[in-house]
């Protein structure tokens, strides 16, 4: 195994010892947080270590601040994405939890409506449901069912009359 050249490691140690406090202070002014500044300073020196540029740096502070600025931009972008994601999650409607009592009442009401509509003929029931549930106009229903608008109106009146009489009982 060839001997390891200690010069690059020594250069990085000297760069770190000389410029780390300055870089932390520089980042703290921009971030307003000592912990984040310390993290970004460490990330900056790791990047310098990985790029193996320590021995050839003529303007170390300019280079370190450039790398740190790039890492800071990445941090701000990541925070913006996280914030947008959290806002999207917060804007989603919460799942509706229906109590057992409310569920029972809803089912009972739906069964009562079904029994009420059972007294209607097939065509009258279909026209009533298309108008009430799907919100279709009489013209749209007539086109869909291939009947006249007058027929649709006649069945709609029959269905509404049936419902009103059933409710009065």
């Amino acid at each position: 195994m060839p001997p390891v050249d200690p010069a690059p490691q020594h250069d990085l140690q000297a760069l770190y010892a000389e410029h780390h406090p300055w870089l932390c202070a520089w980042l703290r002014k921009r971030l307003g947080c000592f912990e984040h500044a310390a993290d970004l300073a460490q990330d900056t020196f790791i990047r310098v270590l990985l790029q193996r540029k320590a021995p050839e740096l003529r303007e170390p502070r300019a280079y370190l601040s450039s790398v740190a600025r790039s890492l800071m931009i990445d941090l701000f972008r990541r925070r913006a994405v996280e914030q947008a994601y959290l806002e999207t999650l917060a804007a989603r409607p919460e799942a509706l939890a229906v109590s057992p009592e409310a569920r029972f009442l809803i089912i009972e009401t739906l069964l009562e409506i079904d029994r009420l509509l059972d007294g209607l003929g097939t065509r009258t029931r279909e026209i009533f449901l298309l108008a009430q549930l799907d919100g279709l106009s009489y013209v749209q229903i007539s086109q869909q069912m291939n009947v006249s608008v007058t027929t649709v109106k006649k069945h709609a009146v029959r269905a509404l009359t049936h419902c009103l009489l059933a409710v009065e009982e």
Side-chain angles (χ1 to χ4, degrees):
M1 182 171 193
V4 177
D5 184 10
Q9 184 178 359
H10 177 41
D11 290 339
L12 185 63
Q13 287 175 345
L15 181 71
Y16 186 89
E18 187 176 339
H19 298 288
H20 183 263
W22 166 84
L23 184 60
C24 282
W26 185 85
L27 285 166
R28 189 174 45 248
K29 278 189 235 174
R30 282 147 183 82
L31 296 172
C33 174
F34 177 77
E35 289 82 15
H36 291 224
D39 289 344
L40 277 183
Q42 288 302 110
D43 291 345
T44 301
F45 282 102
I46 289 172
R47 188 162 292 176
V48 171
L49 173 68
L50 294 175
Q51 293 176 350
R52 299 183 175 159
K53 297 231 177 183
E56 60 192 56
L57 291 179
R58 293 185 183 177
E59 299 282 336
R61 287 192 176 185
Y63 182 75
L64 290 172
S65 64
S66 175
V67 171
R69 189 176 297 113
S70 171
L71 291 171
M72 203 170 19
I73 290 169
D74 291 345
L75 173 70
F76 292 151
R77 284 184 184 146
R78 187 171 45 252
R79 282 183 185 170
V81 169
E82 289 172 2
Q83 185 62 35
Y85 176 71
L86 292 173
E87 288 172 3
T88 301
L89 284 179
R92 291 181 62 193
E94 291 185 33
L96 181 61
V98 179
S99 70
E101 296 84 13
R103 183 183 311 253
F104 176 77
L105 289 174
I106 291 169
I107 291 171
E108 284 297 310
T109 304
L110 289 173
L111 289 172
E112 184 64 31
I113 292 170
D114 186 53
R115 280 191 291 275
L116 179 71
L117 296 178
D118 262 349
L120 299 174
T122 306
R123 182 179 278 179
T124 305
R125 179 184 180 127
E126 186 176 355
I127 288 171
F128 179 79
L129 291 175
L130 287 172
Q132 298 302 314
L133 295 181
D134 294 343
L136 297 180
S137 68
Y138 291 163
V139 173
Q140 291 170 321
I141 295 170
S142 73
Q143 291 170 348
Q144 183 173 331
M145 295 184 69
N146 206 20
V147 296
S148 70
V149 175
T150 305
T151 302
V152 172
K153 286 180 183 179
K154 180 179 81 173
H155 285 282
V157 168
R158 186 179 300 153
L160 289 172
T161 304
H162 176 80
C163 289
L164 287 174
L165 290 174
V167 169
E168 286 180 1
E169 293 174 359

